[in-house]
Amino acid sequence: MSYLVDEKGYYGAFGGAYIPEMLYPNVEELRQNYLSIMESEEFQEEFRQLLRDYVGRPTPLFEAQRLSEKYGARIFLKREDLCHTGAHKVNNTVGQILMAQRLGKKKIIAETGAGQHGVATATVCALMGMECIVYMGEIDMERQRPNVERMKILGAQVVPATSGSKTLKDATNEAMRHWINNPSDTHYIIGSVVGPHPYPDMVARFQAVISEEIRWQLEKQTGSQAPDYVVACVGGGSNAAGAYYHYLEDPEVKLIAVEAGGLGVDSGKSAATTRLGRSGVLHGSKTLLMQTEDGQVTEPYSISAGLDYPGIGPMHAHLFTSGRGEFLDVTDEDAMKAGIELSRLEGIIPAIESAHAFAVLDRLSLERDDVVVINLSGRGDKDLETYIKWGKY
Amino acid sequence: METQELDKNRINRLFREKGNDLLSVYYTAGFPGPEDTMEIARLLEEAGADIIEIGMPFSDPVADGPTIQASNNQALKNGMSIARLLSGLRNMREQISLPVILMGYINPVLQYGVEKFCSECEQAGVDGLILPDLPMAEYLQEYKQIFDNHGLKNVFLITPQTSEERIRQIDDNTDGFIYMVSSAATTGAKKGFSDEQLEYFERIRSMQLQNPLLIGFGISDHSTYSKANEYARGAIIGSAFIRLLSETEDKERDIKKFIKEIKGRS
């Protein structure tokens, strides 16, 4: 079984391009060109150079001794938190802005949840001198204020999404509407492995640099390119897609996806899509989706804005239903505790999104010589206020 | 044989029998009140509309502007759903004879079950469907047969950016009408048409498609309606009518007045 996208844009039963005709020309233009652009030597050269000199790649693969001691395995942290702008999101925005330039686009729009993708987009727009509009849910703007200000400092316009739950889903709706109204000169930089084909595949390919590096870094440190586990948090799923990418076809490597359980999967306040969702269509793809019996999309909840999304990328929906990936969920409380634990044991304050991935370590029945790679997708600076409010440290 | 088939569907009959200046009116089911849907359809028929387009509300209507979004939200709050709508339309054909089209996003239809949905649409006397986020390829492969079995016309949208090749493909794969989106935009009124839009209307008209064209998006008054009718068989009005519904205190009087003003009959 393949876990990559097929020629029709599907991952098993999931994916496709369920978009109104108004978006068809843009998405089709991208579909026809993205692979040849990405694979051209000239593109790769500029992309690689920016990842190295601007983003700061390769990011380290750090063996976390005290965490390893505690959980009884060899635990490595892929330090995406050390990327410029503080999270893995910038890998994709660097790639997509180069794509937008080659498609002759002049303006950039983006949606953002936690603000990390918005900041990463505003950053590359400043770098390339392109106009940037970021849609962000009104509620997310409140809980991620520092990132709102960062985007503004970088010269982006931040537009509040005031419909629905006023979070990531609604910001995505507004960005799509903007694109419908401005089809010819604007590129939409989607921040996760969601949206109509070819976005999930394109974003996964840009993020695949994460597992590309893990392979050679791990070989240097352990003698093998393949760990026993790769663990990552999943909202839409871009950091997980990047961390899994080069291990998808290697069944020896267990892929662990950690979703946001919120106040608990049965509490009605959760974003654990694989537990609560079923097949449906949102934002251009068929995927697992939290919805009512009538097919109305329900409002998710998580303490972490970056995981507060009612769907997951179609690639992950396929990993879940095929059994290739193991999906776990973690409550707000356990994620916060794991964040504090990482801070105390390793001197690293993680983003609350990433903290979810650390909260499953005691559920993995690890053995002493197991090699575990956790994708530390972002740093916790943006979450200080949430940590302070939570207060149990 | 073919003529008989054509005659069976009210959309085909309308375009065969009536001339130009057709007016299709969109409104959201369950808006403004939960029980208003059939009454509004009746009043539209009495007032002289030619096609009735009933929106099935969705939580995330990405192709719609603020006016229709708000009506979707209100309708969902009022408890509207596909099940409730179809049960409300069950005796529709005892009350109205105009072609009726249901418009909505694909997800609620998928959850309801496409076969069940189409079968109940047929029983109610629905003539066509507009599902803007159902891609043509998926429609042809998975659903066309089901739609056809239940006598439902699938209405495709085209926009100023749609390529000629794709327009021809759409024209070959439908036999109701083509919904011509007047500009690169979500639904909602703009002020008049630009020269660029008129050039686009002309470009499409000169393609001499098999299917009749209706122009929608940005039709808000008599002047945009009659301009659209210079290039197409008719026009579709949505947001402006939703605004009227949210303001009116006398539906019967105001819907009559509204249609009369749009059509420009005195």
Side-chain angles (χ1 to χ4, degrees), chain A residues 98-298:
Chain A
L98 297 178
M99 180 70 64
Q101 287 178 330
R102 279 152 186 80
L103 293 171
K105 307 291 179 177
K106 304 280 176 249
K107 296 174 185 170
I108 297 295
I109 54 167
E111 85 296 336
T112 197
Q116 287 304 112
H117 174 58
V119 167
T121 304
T123 297
V124 296
C125 286
L127 178 69
M128 299 298 178
M130 287 171 87
E131 195 181 319
C132 180
I133 300 175
V134 179
Y135 288 90
M136 188 170 187
E138 207 170 38
I139 289 185
D140 291 341
M141 286 179 72
E142 279 160 33
R143 58 180 167 174
Q144 304 285 343
R145 179 123 313 263
N147 272 346
V148 175
E149 298 309 320
R150 284 167 84 193
M151 287 185 267
K152 288 184 183 165
I153 289 170
L154 290 161
Q157 186 192 345
V158 184
V159 181
T162 56
S163 59
S165 55
K166 304 182 175 69
T167 61
L168 180 53
K169 166 180 86 97
D170 312 286
T172 308
N173 290 342
E174 289 306 326
M176 289 186 129
R177 288 185 186 115
H178 182 105
W179 207 21
I180 286 173
N181 283 281
N182 301 273
S184 46
D185 62 347
T186 301
H187 176 71
Y188 178 16
I189 299 190
I190 296 184
S192 193
V193 286
V194 302
H197 177 65
Y199 275 102
D201 184 49
M202 178 173 68
V203 176
R205 283 167 186 263
F206 286 138
Q207 293 294 358
V209 65
I210 298 172
S211 47
E212 186 189 306
E213 289 174 5
I214 294 173
R215 281 168 75 99
W216 61 259
Q217 289 172 322
L218 202 61
E219 182 165 34
K220 260 196 193 161
Q221 296 181 57
T222 69
S224 166
Q225 294 192 346
D228 296 290
Y229 296 88
V230 178
V231 185
C233 65
V234 174
S238 69
N239 92 79
Y244 299 162
Y245 197 88
H246 291 285
Y247 296 114
L248 288 169
E249 314 287 337
D250 184 350
E252 300 295 303
V253 180
K254 298 184 190 72
L255 307 178
I256 309 293
V258 185
E259 294 185 293
L263 303 183
V265 282
D266 301 319
S267 67
K269 290 253 173 204
S270 176
T273 304
T274 59
R275 292 285 302 280
L276 299 167
R278 58 180 199 282
S279 179
V281 171
L282 180 70
H283 296 150
S285 61
K286 189 180 270 185
T287 190
L288 292 172
L289 184 63
M290 291 168 56
Q291 54 187 315
T292 65
E293 207 186 316
D294 295 333
Q296 307 298 338
V297 181
T298 50

Side-chain angles (χ1 to χ4, degrees), chain B residues 204-249:
Chain B
I204 304 303
R205 180 171 65 176
S206 66
M207 285 180 73
Q208 303 196 326
L209 302 174
Q210 309 160 43
N211 282 279
L213 293 162
L214 294 184
I215 297 179
F217 287 44
I219 311 286
S220 58
D221 51 20
H222 176 66
S223 121
T224 41
Y225 164 80
S226 56
K227 198 71 189 164
N229 273 303
E230 290 175 24
Y231 298 88
R233 291 287 298 278
I236 304 167
I237 199 159
S239 298
F241 185 64
I242 296 288
R243 265 194 307 278
L244 171 96
L245 290 179
S246 46
E247 285 158 12
T248 179
E249 279 163 17

Side-chain angles (χ1 to χ4, degrees), chain B residues 128-149:
Chain B
L129 301 171
I130 304 176
L131 301 167
D133 59 346
L134 173 61
M136 182 162 53
E138 262 76 5
Y139 165 71
L140 294 175
Q141 212 169 49
E142 312 273 337
Y143 305 119
K144 184 174 192 310
Q145 197 58 53
I146 305 175
F147 282 36
D148 287 348
N149 289 346

